Amino acid sequence: MELLDKQTIWQVRNSYLGVYVHFPYCFKKCDYCDFYSEGIGAAPANDEKLLFQAYQKEILERKIHFPEIKNRTIDTVFFGGGTPSKASSKSWKDFLNFLRSEFSFADDTEISIEVNPEDLSAELLEEYDSIGINRVNVGVQTLEPKGLEFLGRHYDSERYGALVDVLTHSPIERVGIDLMYGIPGVSKESFYRDLNLFLEAGLPHLSLYSLTLEKGTQYSRDVTDHKKREPEENIQSEILTNLPVLLKEHGYLWYEVSNYAKPGFESRHNLKYWTYEPYLGIGPGAHGMIEGHRYGNPRNSSLYQKKPSNTKYEPADPSTELSLTLFRLFSPFRYLDFIDTYLDSESKIKYLRTIEGWDKKGLCSIESGVFQWKPAALLLLDDLILEISL
């Protein structure tokens, strides 16, 4: 990738392979979460060994379905969930050893894991560092107890209180946190207090999300039943438009709608999703995209362990996919390369005309084949993406 004034220009890069692994268990399932997960309390999952065996089996089966992937080099691995920090470090170590026995790894492969605050400790980070994990993301959401209660999160005040100290002394340099805003009952001042703590700590990656109402979640049902209030949309809009300015002052690049990083600390794995790169999705509820085909695994851990591979593959539609992912990037990207590589002639014409219209309205800049949104596009983004995806 090229660099322009410290900002990376993203381009087509589809010769590598990412691997996402879904660990479905949590201490407690959060009310707002629409990912497949199950709350099982403090004890380890009693089927952890069987689950990791199923991961290996699925990978071997995917290699049979798509023999070409054995020639690809893995350059990102992401352990997500659920709460992957709930699984033992030994299980992740053994799984990484298995992956290395089946694929070649790039020298600078990014290996990420999501951690919940109740699991985070200096000892855990030492363990992760020792087994090759080199990126950690902590799902903080808020430090406000009433906000955590609203979200239905398990809350350990001692662990939450030690977050900044543990992360600033981490042996793993690539660390980041998730924060959420627009939680009913949590003021914008409270959100900024939380954010400032982590800004002052200089963490290299920040994911800053607005609370959303996802169909099928407990939170959605509670809102329908008038037990809980909807997200604070006015506060969300105000914070959303203020964040790029605030974060820039602290040296962060705004590279995706909700993601900010110090230069060179972007989540390389998540960028695969946004730039249409291939990746294996492993585990119950995981989704993958290989050789132009998408698949999704059953959202049931027991069923997955009996039959790890869903063999129903759907052709991906590059025109729709690029509109919904690539145009979430606020970093510059070589849009002509993406258009020429992935789109048919009819889709190319539609894309080019739409982008030209955005440029005339002052919503983006296009120069030498490089596209970048202007801040004015932020609050209109969903509608703009709809223009190019229809």
Side-chain angles (χ1 to χ4, degrees), residues 1-12 253-256 266 271 274-275 326-336 338 364-374:
M1 298 299 176
E2 302 168 61
L3 286 175
L4 180 65
D5 296 330
K6 290 188 177 181
Q7 189 137 20
T8 303
I9 301 176
W10 307 113
Q11 58 197 43
V12 172
L253 299 175
W254 180 28
Y255 74 100
E256 190 270 346
E266 298 91 347
L271 278 158
W274 299 321
T275 58
L326 186 62
F327 288 90
R328 286 181 56 87
L329 290 177
F330 274 77
S331 291
F333 57 86
R334 296 203 162 278
Y335 78 107
L336 291 180
F338 284 94
C364 66
S365 65
I366 48 175
E367 186 176 350
S368 302
V370 176
F371 174 99
Q372 186 170 23
W373 286 117
K374 293 182 178 178

Coordinates of all heavy atoms in Angstrom, one line a residue, residues 1-12 253-256 266 271 274-275 326-336 338 364-374:
M1 N 0.8 -1.2 0.0 CA 0.0 0.0 0.0 C 0.9 1.2 0.0 O 1.9 1.3 0.6 CB -0.9 0.0 1.2 CG -1.9 -1.2 1.3 SD -3.0 -1.2 -0.1 CE -3.9 -2.7 0.2
E2 N 0.4 2.3 -0.7 CA 1.2 3.5 -0.8 C 0.8 4.4 0.4 O -0.2 4.3 1.0 CB 0.8 4.3 -2.1 CG 1.0 3.5 -3.3 CD 0.4 4.2 -4.5 OE1 0.8 5.4 -4.8 OE2 -0.5 3.6 -5.1
L3 N 1.7 5.3 0.7 CA 1.5 6.3 1.7 C 1.5 7.7 1.1 O 2.3 8.0 0.3 CB 2.6 6.2 2.8 CG 2.5 5.0 3.8 CD1 3.8 5.1 4.7 CD2 1.3 5.1 4.6
L4 N 0.5 8.5 1.5 CA 0.4 9.9 1.1 C 0.1 10.7 2.3 O -1.0 10.6 2.9 CB -0.8 10.0 0.1 CG -1.0 11.4 -0.5 CD1 0.2 11.9 -1.3 CD2 -2.3 11.4 -1.3
D5 N 1.1 11.6 2.7 CA 1.0 12.4 3.9 C 0.6 11.5 5.1 O -0.4 11.8 5.9 CB -0.1 13.5 3.7 CG 0.4 14.5 2.6 OD1 1.6 14.7 2.5 OD2 -0.5 15.0 2.0
K6 N 1.3 10.4 5.3 CA 1.1 9.5 6.4 C -0.2 8.6 6.3 O -0.4 7.7 7.0 CB 1.1 10.2 7.7 CG 2.4 10.7 8.2 CD 2.3 11.3 9.6 CE 3.6 11.8 10.1 NZ 3.6 12.2 11.5
Q7 N -1.1 8.9 5.3 CA -2.3 8.2 5.2 C -2.2 7.1 4.1 O -1.7 7.4 3.0 CB -3.5 9.1 4.8 CG -4.8 8.4 4.9 CD -5.9 9.3 5.5 OE1 -5.7 10.5 5.6 NE2 -6.9 8.7 6.0
T8 N -2.5 5.9 4.4 CA -2.4 4.8 3.4 C -3.4 5.0 2.3 O -4.6 5.3 2.6 CB -2.6 3.5 4.2 OG1 -1.6 3.4 5.2 CG2 -2.4 2.3 3.2
I9 N -3.0 4.7 1.1 CA -3.9 4.6 0.0 C -4.2 3.1 -0.3 O -3.3 2.4 -0.7 CB -3.3 5.3 -1.3 CG1 -3.0 6.7 -1.0 CG2 -4.3 5.1 -2.4 CD1 -2.3 7.4 -2.2
W10 N -5.4 2.7 0.0 CA -5.7 1.2 -0.1 C -5.9 0.9 -1.6 O -6.4 1.7 -2.4 CB -6.9 0.9 0.7 CG -6.8 1.3 2.1 CD1 -7.6 2.3 2.8 CD2 -5.9 0.8 3.1 NE1 -7.1 2.4 4.1 CE2 -6.1 1.6 4.3 CE3 -4.9 -0.1 3.1 CZ2 -5.4 1.3 5.5 CZ3 -4.1 -0.3 4.2 CH2 -4.4 0.4 5.4
Q11 N -5.5 -0.3 -1.9 CA -5.7 -0.7 -3.3 C -6.0 -2.2 -3.4 O -6.0 -2.9 -2.3 CB -4.4 -0.5 -4.1 CG -3.1 -1.2 -3.5 CD -1.8 -0.6 -4.0 OE1 -1.7 0.6 -4.1 NE2 -0.9 -1.5 -4.3
V12 N -6.3 -2.7 -4.6 CA -6.7 -4.1 -4.7 C -5.5 -5.0 -4.3 O -4.3 -4.8 -4.6 CB -7.0 -4.4 -6.2 CG1 -7.2 -6.0 -6.4 CG2 -8.2 -3.7 -6.7
L253 N -5.6 8.7 12.5 CA -6.1 8.7 11.1 C -7.5 8.1 11.2 O -7.8 7.1 11.8 CB -5.3 7.9 10.2 CG -3.8 8.4 10.0 CD1 -3.0 7.4 9.1 CD2 -3.8 9.8 9.4
W254 N -8.5 8.8 10.5 CA -9.8 8.3 10.4 C -9.9 7.4 9.1 O -9.9 7.9 8.0 CB -10.8 9.5 10.3 CG -12.2 9.2 10.2 CD1 -12.9 8.1 10.6 CD2 -13.2 10.1 9.6 NE1 -14.2 8.3 10.4 CE2 -14.4 9.4 9.7 CE3 -13.1 11.3 8.9 CZ2 -15.6 10.0 9.2 CZ3 -14.3 11.9 8.4 CH2 -15.5 11.2 8.5
Y255 N -9.9 6.1 9.3 CA -9.7 5.3 8.1 C -11.0 4.5 7.7 O -11.1 4.0 6.6 CB -8.5 4.3 8.2 CG -8.7 3.1 9.2 CD1 -9.0 1.9 8.7 CD2 -8.5 3.3 10.6 CE1 -9.1 0.8 9.6 CE2 -8.5 2.2 11.4 CZ -8.9 0.9 10.9 OH -9.0 -0.1 11.8
E256 N -12.0 4.4 8.7 CA -13.3 3.8 8.4 C -14.3 4.5 9.2 O -13.9 5.1 10.2 CB -13.2 2.3 8.6 CG -14.4 1.5 8.1 CD -15.5 1.4 9.2 OE1 -15.3 1.7 10.4 OE2 -16.6 1.0 8.8
E266 N -3.7 0.4 11.7 CA -5.1 0.0 11.3 C -5.2 -1.5 11.5 O -4.3 -2.2 11.4 CB -5.3 0.4 9.8 CG -5.2 1.9 9.5 CD -3.8 2.3 9.1 OE1 -2.8 1.6 9.3 OE2 -3.7 3.4 8.6
L271 N -9.8 -4.6 7.4 CA -9.6 -4.0 6.1 C -9.9 -5.0 4.9 O -10.3 -4.6 3.8 CB -8.3 -3.4 5.9 CG -8.2 -2.0 6.5 CD1 -6.7 -1.6 6.8 CD2 -8.8 -0.9 5.6
W274 N -13.5 -4.7 4.1 CA -13.8 -3.5 3.4 C -13.2 -3.3 2.0 O -13.7 -2.5 1.3 CB -13.4 -2.3 4.3 CG -14.1 -2.3 5.7 CD1 -15.4 -2.7 5.9 CD2 -13.5 -2.0 6.9 NE1 -15.7 -2.6 7.3 CE2 -14.5 -2.1 7.9 CE3 -12.3 -1.6 7.3 CZ2 -14.3 -1.9 9.3 CZ3 -12.1 -1.3 8.7 CH2 -13.1 -1.5 9.6
T275 N -12.2 -4.1 1.7 CA -11.6 -4.0 0.4 C -11.7 -5.3 -0.4 O -10.9 -5.6 -1.3 CB -10.1 -3.6 0.6 OG1 -9.4 -4.6 1.4 CG2 -9.9 -2.3 1.2
L326 N -16.4 -1.1 0.5 CA -15.3 -0.2 0.1 C -15.7 1.3 0.4 O -14.8 2.1 0.9 CB -15.1 -0.4 -1.4 CG -13.9 0.4 -1.9 CD1 -12.6 -0.1 -1.3 CD2 -13.8 0.2 -3.5
F327 N -16.9 1.7 0.3 CA -17.3 3.1 0.4 C -17.6 3.4 1.9 O -18.1 4.5 2.1 CB -18.4 3.4 -0.5 CG -17.9 3.5 -2.0 CD1 -17.9 2.4 -2.8 CD2 -17.4 4.7 -2.5 CE1 -17.5 2.4 -4.1 CE2 -16.9 4.7 -3.8 CZ -16.9 3.6 -4.6
R328 N -17.3 2.5 2.8 CA -17.3 2.9 4.2 C -15.9 3.5 4.6 O -15.7 4.0 5.7 CB -17.6 1.7 5.1 CG -19.0 1.3 5.1 CD -19.2 0.1 6.0 NE -18.8 0.3 7.4 CZ -19.5 0.9 8.3 NH1 -20.8 1.3 8.0 NH2 -19.1 1.1 9.5
L329 N -14.9 3.3 3.7 CA -13.6 3.8 4.1 C -13.5 5.3 3.9 O -14.0 5.9 3.0 CB -12.5 3.1 3.1 CG -12.3 1.7 3.3 CD1 -11.3 1.2 2.2 CD2 -11.7 1.3 4.7
F330 N -12.9 5.9 4.9 CA -12.6 7.3 4.8 C -11.1 7.6 4.5 O -10.7 8.7 4.3 CB -13.0 8.1 6.1 CG -14.5 8.5 6.0 CD1 -15.5 7.5 6.2 CD2 -14.9 9.8 5.7 CE1 -16.8 7.9 6.1 CE2 -16.2 10.1 5.6 CZ -17.2 9.2 5.8
S331 N -10.3 6.5 4.4 CA -9.0 6.6 3.8 C -9.1 6.7 2.3 O -10.1 6.3 1.8 CB -8.2 5.4 4.2 OG -7.9 5.3 5.5
P332 N -8.1 7.3 1.7 CA -8.1 7.2 0.2 C -7.9 5.8 -0.3 O -7.2 5.0 0.3 CB -7.0 8.2 -0.2 CG -6.0 8.1 1.0 CD -6.9 7.9 2.2
F333 N -8.5 5.5 -1.5 CA -8.3 4.2 -2.1 C -8.4 4.4 -3.6 O -9.0 5.3 -4.2 CB -9.3 3.2 -1.6 CG -10.8 3.5 -1.8 CD1 -11.4 3.2 -3.0 CD2 -11.5 4.1 -0.8 CE1 -12.8 3.6 -3.2 CE2 -12.9 4.5 -1.0 CZ -13.5 4.2 -2.2
R334 N -7.7 3.4 -4.3 CA -7.6 3.5 -5.7 C -8.9 2.9 -6.3 O -8.9 1.7 -6.7 CB -6.3 2.7 -6.2 CG -5.0 3.4 -5.7 CD -3.8 3.1 -6.6 NE -2.8 4.0 -6.3 CZ -2.7 5.2 -6.9 NH1 -3.6 5.6 -7.8 NH2 -1.7 6.0 -6.6
Y335 N -9.9 3.8 -6.5 CA -11.2 3.3 -6.9 C -11.2 2.7 -8.3 O -11.9 1.8 -8.6 CB -12.2 4.4 -6.7 CG -12.2 5.5 -7.8 CD1 -13.3 5.5 -8.7 CD2 -11.2 6.4 -7.8 CE1 -13.3 6.5 -9.7 CE2 -11.3 7.4 -8.8 CZ -12.3 7.5 -9.7 OH -12.3 8.4 -10.7
L336 N -10.4 3.3 -9.2 CA -10.4 2.8 -10.6 C -9.8 1.4 -10.6 O -10.3 0.5 -11.4 CB -9.6 3.7 -11.5 CG -10.2 5.1 -11.7 CD1 -9.3 5.9 -12.6 CD2 -11.6 5.0 -12.4
F338 N -10.1 -1.0 -8.2 CA -11.2 -1.8 -7.8 C -12.3 -2.0 -8.9 O -12.7 -3.1 -9.1 CB -11.8 -1.3 -6.5 CG -11.0 -1.5 -5.3 CD1 -10.2 -0.5 -4.8 CD2 -11.1 -2.7 -4.5 CE1 -9.4 -0.6 -3.7 CE2 -10.3 -2.8 -3.4 CZ -9.5 -1.8 -3.0
C364 N -16.8 14.3 -2.3 CA -15.6 13.5 -2.3 C -14.6 14.2 -3.2 O -14.8 15.2 -3.9 CB -15.9 12.1 -2.9 SG -16.4 12.1 -4.6
S365 N -13.4 13.6 -3.1 CA -12.3 14.1 -4.0 C -11.9 12.9 -4.9 O -11.8 11.8 -4.4 CB -11.1 14.7 -3.3 OG -10.5 13.7 -2.5
I366 N -11.6 13.1 -6.2 CA -11.1 12.1 -7.0 C -10.0 12.7 -7.8 O -10.1 13.7 -8.5 CB -12.2 11.5 -8.0 CG1 -13.0 12.6 -8.7 CG2 -13.1 10.6 -7.2 CD1 -14.0 12.0 -9.7
E367 N -8.8 12.0 -7.7 CA -7.6 12.6 -8.4 C -6.6 11.4 -8.6 O -6.3 10.7 -7.7 CB -6.9 13.6 -7.5 CG -5.8 14.3 -8.1 CD -5.2 15.4 -7.2 OE1 -5.8 15.7 -6.2 OE2 -4.1 15.9 -7.6
S368 N -6.3 11.3 -9.9 CA -5.3 10.3 -10.3 C -5.8 8.9 -9.9 O -4.9 8.1 -9.4 CB -3.9 10.6 -9.7 OG -3.4 11.8 -10.1
G369 N -7.0 8.6 -10.1 CA -7.6 7.3 -9.7 C -7.8 7.0 -8.3 O -8.1 5.9 -7.9
V370 N -7.6 8.0 -7.4 CA -7.8 7.9 -6.0 C -9.0 8.6 -5.5 O -9.3 9.7 -5.8 CB -6.5 8.4 -5.2 CG1 -6.8 8.3 -3.7 CG2 -5.3 7.6 -5.6
F371 N -9.8 7.9 -4.7 CA -11.1 8.4 -4.2 C -11.0 8.6 -2.7 O -10.4 7.8 -2.0 CB -12.2 7.4 -4.5 CG -13.6 7.7 -3.8 CD1 -14.6 8.3 -4.6 CD2 -13.8 7.5 -2.5 CE1 -15.8 8.6 -4.0 CE2 -15.0 7.8 -1.9 CZ -16.0 8.4 -2.7
Q372 N -11.5 9.7 -2.2 CA -11.6 9.9 -0.8 C -12.8 10.7 -0.4 O -13.1 11.8 -1.1 CB -10.4 10.6 -0.2 CG -10.4 10.6 1.3 CD -9.1 11.1 1.9 OE1 -8.3 11.7 1.3 NE2 -8.8 10.7 3.2
W373 N -13.6 10.2 0.6 CA -14.8 11.0 1.0 C -14.3 12.3 1.7 O -13.2 12.3 2.3 CB -15.6 10.2 2.1 CG -16.4 9.1 1.5 CD1 -16.3 7.8 1.8 CD2 -17.5 9.2 0.7 NE1 -17.2 7.0 1.2 CE2 -18.0 7.9 0.5 CE3 -18.2 10.2 0.0 CZ2 -19.1 7.6 -0.3 CZ3 -19.3 10.0 -0.8 CH2 -19.7 8.6 -1.0
K374 N -15.1 13.3 1.6 CA -14.9 14.5 2.4 C -15.8 14.4 3.6 O -16.8 13.7 3.6 CB -15.3 15.8 1.6 CG -14.3 16.0 0.4 CD -14.7 17.3 -0.3 CE -13.6 17.5 -1.4 NZ -14.0 18.7 -2.2

